[in-house]
Amino acid sequence: MPDEFVLGYWGRIHALNLYSSPNQTLEALIENFALPPTRIQRVEALALAAQTSTQRFVQKHTLIPVLAAISQHFPGTPHGDVKIPEIIKQSWKQHQKPGAYFCPDCSAAQKSLWGFSYWMRSHQLLGVDWCPHHGATLIACDDHAFVRGCPQEKQASSQRAERGLAYWPILERYSQIMTAYLTTKRRIGVQDASKPLRPIAASRNINARGISGFQYLSDIAMAQLPGWWLEKLFPSIAHKQANTPFPPLDNTVLSGFAMPHAYALAMALLYESSEEALAGMPH
């Protein structure tokens, strides 16, 4: 299904069969397709069940395009390139935040259209607590919900961002950039990602060279965004001291290593719109 998350797809296949565990279901798929032993035969089996190529399956149904949107390793490599099976094996099941999430509006629309609902990738993105399509607050379930079938089990909600507050436009830009990562085709190198951000930061007197006396991007983030939300992205940011670097975020403009979600936040802080930020990204 469009944007269906791999773990939910696996769970949906399992729900339609009589095997006692999801792993047994997957082993049966591998046997059914007579796949030779490889590092990625589980992904290959799911791709064949979906009647698509392994590379396209990784691109359309895993979070690898987000997890590796900006990377130190293999820049320029297409997501899901089967010539580098180690990357697929390591990350195909990975998700960015604890639990499984769904939008009640998406679920209702899916049931109306197809007769069932499913788990979407765009609802599993780190720091995105609302549906990018409907704006509804996402409902959180436990991690096992993916393999139990369709979205339906609700648990207590965590603290949520509120529209209308001063920080909301930044979070909205961040959400739009993270969602756009899902459609990236290739890995972007760290240096290439930092290059358009550094002059913007410098023009705003944000420390882009590690020189003392200038505020860091992380200082701006802490001043403009709620701590409970920042800690979802960077659990140790609460210990940061003013006017000192916080590498997990500041490296986005200091030419060091940073995760893709850090670049999404840096762009959300530095640009006035997500469209402008995404237009400046290397392709």
Side-chain angles (χ1 to χ4, degrees):
M1 305 305 293
D3 195 46
E4 185 170 16
F5 185 41
V6 60
L7 296 185
Y9 178 61
W10 180 5
R12 208 156 54 81
I13 291 176
H14 174 61
L16 294 173
N17 290 276
L18 301 177
Y19 295 98
S20 59
S21 74
N23 283 332
Q24 287 182 341
T25 298
L26 203 43
E27 292 302 321
L29 269 183
I30 292 169
E31 183 178 351
N32 177 68
F33 291 121
L35 292 173
T38 69
R39 296 179 181 180
I40 58 171
Q41 64 177 179
R42 289 186 161 202
V43 185
E44 291 172 332
L46 290 169
L48 285 170
Q51 300 182 330
T52 190
S53 69
T54 300
Q55 181 169 331
R56 182 173 174 80
F57 186 82
V58 169
Q59 171 74 55
K60 297 291 186 181
H61 300 289
T62 76
L63 290 184
I64 288 177
V66 176
L67 297 167
I70 298 168
S71 176
Q72 286 181 308
H73 308 293
F74 308 108
T77 302
H79 299 306
D81 190 340
V82 295
K83 296 177 182 177
I84 313 177
E86 297 86 355
I87 296 172
I88 300 175
K89 181 183 178 181
Q90 179 182 358
S91 304
W92 73 274
K93 293 189 295 183
Q94 191 171 344
H95 46 112
Q96 288 197 302
K97 54 189 178 184
Y101 295 80
F102 72 97
C103 163
D105 292 341
C106 284
S107 180
Q110 291 160 0
K111 287 178 181 177
S112 175
L113 187 59
W114 291 298
F116 64 92
S117 59
Y118 62 90
W119 301 96
M120 298 179 68
R121 291 186 305 164
S122 53
H123 298 156
Q124 317 310 320
L125 301 175
L126 181 63
V128 180
D129 300 328
W130 52 91
C131 176
H133 312 287
H134 297 101
T137 297
L138 298 177
I139 295 175
C141 307
D142 65 64
D143 286 328
H144 300 293
F146 288 126
V147 295
R148 284 202 297 260
C150 299
Q152 57 188 353
E153 183 179 341
K154 182 178 178 180
Q155 68 179 26
S157 298
S158 59
Q159 193 168 9
R160 303 294 183 183
E162 295 183 28
R163 290 169 178 77
L165 296 182
Y167 60 73
W168 176 254
I170 299 172
L171 298 195
E172 189 171 39
R173 291 194 292 272
Y174 170 84
S175 170
Q176 291 164 349
I177 293 165
M178 288 290 285
T179 303
Y181 279 164
L182 290 170
T183 63
T184 59
K185 303 297 185 185
R186 298 175 180 270
R187 293 170 168 241
I188 298 170
V190 167
Q191 296 299 322
D192 291 333
S194 293
K195 188 175 180 180
L197 303 182
R198 289 196 297 271
I200 299 173
S203 71
R204 299 184 184 180
N205 293 321
I206 297 170
N207 204 325
R209 296 175 127 187
I211 301 171
S212 60
F214 291 88
Q215 66 178 342
Y216 287 88
L217 188 62
S218 55
D219 293 311
I220 294 174
M222 294 188 73
Q224 296 185 5
L225 295 167
W228 60 264
W229 185 84
L230 278 173
E231 288 174 23
K232 290 184 179 183
L233 276 61
F234 312 106
S236 62
I237 199 168
H239 304 295
K240 174 192 147 52
Q241 300 296 314
N243 297 317
T244 60
F246 180 71
L249 177 56
D250 293 315
N251 277 354
T252 59
V253 295
L254 292 174
S255 302
F257 170 74
M259 297 292 287
H261 65 266
Y263 279 95
L265 180 55
M267 287 187 276
L269 289 165
L270 292 172
Y271 288 94
E272 295 299 321
S273 73
S274 60
E275 291 81 9
E276 184 183 5
L278 293 167
M281 281 182 64
H283 297 285

